[in-house]
Amino acid sequence: MTRRTDWAEYTLPVAPKGRGSRGDGGSAGGGDRAYEDIRGDADARGAGTPWGDGRAHGGRGRERRRGSGEPADGPQDGGSAFSSRAEKGEPPADPVERARAICLRLLTGTPRTRKQLADALRKREIPEEAAEEVLSRFEEVGLIDDGAFADAWVESRHHGRGLGRRALAQELRTKGVDSALIDEAVGQLDAEQEEATARELVARKLRSTRGLDRDKRLRRLAGMLARKGYPEGMALRVVRQALEDEGEDTEGLDEGEF
């Protein structure tokens, strides 16, 4: 956890070598071509192109021909019936294709967990079998990676919002990330770094508490850290040290009361 990262960096994950990528530049097999097809569709959507309209794979030539006076109703270069339906704004009839299109749209520019995508497909009444097929394939080629999602979430939310490990773990649970992956991601945030962030948060908030009595300042600052997921013992220790550095007398303060 040495690098500050904006959440916007994390777009569609890159498939690891050996799981749908070309690896060392060798020839791609069937799995590689399937992966490239999915990535190509995602790239087309990222550029503002409706998924399935053929522009990611030779659509420019078709557009040029249409500009020369050829009719625009129906594919001119052997395109699929699904491509034609997409051009007309109609949803694909095949539930697997519908699920694939929905997932690509949701993944454009924003990482999502498998559970988030599964919930979206269920809401759109995609049959469970079709949803499972698409989600498993996306997971296989690396477009769904809950482990990478959890790592990125911890990195971004800790540095961006100052959240402690407890709050980060809770957020990841609500997004359906597996407990083992949560523990691994949150475990990368060591106790020293977590405490250093807690001290920064208290330092920024300390000035606004001046003028209040000592106990009220302690409760307010420690409460702020608690809401961000910091352990009670750490919160009280950090706040007490900050007050002492300002010259506040904390002798005889019973931390158990707070």
Side-chain angles (χ1 to χ4, degrees):
M1 306 295 293
T2 59
R3 182 172 64 88
R4 292 178 177 260
T5 307
D6 292 331
W7 183 247
E9 282 185 45
Y10 293 89
T11 56
L12 292 174
V14 176
K17 292 182 180 179
R19 291 201 309 159
S21 61
R22 290 183 180 269
D24 59 359
S27 62
D32 294 326
R33 287 193 297 272
Y35 170 72
E36 289 173 353
D37 287 344
I38 293 174
R39 293 292 301 184
D41 290 330
D43 291 341
R45 287 201 55 79
T49 304
W51 181 82
D53 68 354
R55 296 185 187 179
H57 302 287
R60 291 182 180 177
R62 181 163 67 253
E63 288 176 353
R64 285 195 295 270
R65 288 195 296 274
R66 289 177 181 176
S68 301
E70 293 190 7
D73 52 343
Q76 301 297 312
D77 56 357
S80 66
F82 173 72
S83 176
S84 179
R85 291 175 65 90
E87 288 172 350
K88 296 177 181 178
E90 300 176 10
D94 183 356
V96 171
E97 294 296 341
R98 286 182 58 211
R100 185 169 178 258
I102 290 168
C103 288
L104 284 172
R105 183 173 67 252
L106 292 175
L107 285 169
T108 299
T110 304
R112 298 179 191 271
T113 66
R114 179 175 178 133
K115 180 181 183 300
Q116 287 177 308
L117 293 172
D119 289 345
L121 295 179
R122 191 178 303 111
K123 183 177 179 180
R124 290 163 175 79
E125 300 183 348
I126 299 296
E128 184 176 347
E129 184 177 346
E132 182 64 24
E133 177 181 340
V134 170
L135 292 173
S136 295
R137 179 56 181 157
F138 273 42
E139 201 167 44
E140 180 184 345
V141 301
L143 290 175
I144 301 175
D145 188 337
D146 283 3
F149 179 97
D151 290 344
W153 189 268
V154 168
E155 177 83 7
S156 174
R157 298 285 284 176
H158 176 71
H159 291 301
R161 297 291 300 279
L163 298 185
R165 288 182 287 186
R166 186 176 63 193
L168 292 167
Q170 178 59 33
E171 288 188 340
L172 289 171
R173 277 192 292 270
T174 64
K175 296 183 180 299
V177 179
D178 182 78
S179 296
L181 295 177
I182 292 175
D183 292 342
E184 184 177 347
V186 172
Q188 297 179 47
L189 180 61
D190 59 54
E192 290 184 1
Q193 184 174 353
E194 187 179 33
E195 183 165 332
T197 302
R199 293 186 185 282
E200 292 176 5
L201 292 170
V202 169
R204 291 201 296 264
K205 188 76 173 178
L206 197 62
R207 178 177 296 180
S208 66
T209 66
R210 289 172 184 165
L212 301 176
D213 64 67
R214 180 198 64 184
D215 291 352
K216 185 173 290 187
R217 296 184 79 189
L218 178 65
R219 285 194 295 269
R220 181 167 297 184
L221 294 169
M224 177 268 295
L225 291 180
R227 289 190 296 275
K228 288 183 175 289
Y230 290 87
E232 180 181 3
M234 176 189 292
L236 292 172
R237 182 174 66 254
V238 167
V239 174
R240 185 169 185 169
Q241 181 62 54
L243 293 176
E244 289 176 353
D245 290 345
E246 275 203 342
E248 191 81 66
D249 181 13
T250 60
E251 186 176 353
L253 183 64
D254 184 3
E255 295 182 353
E257 297 178 0
F258 303 97

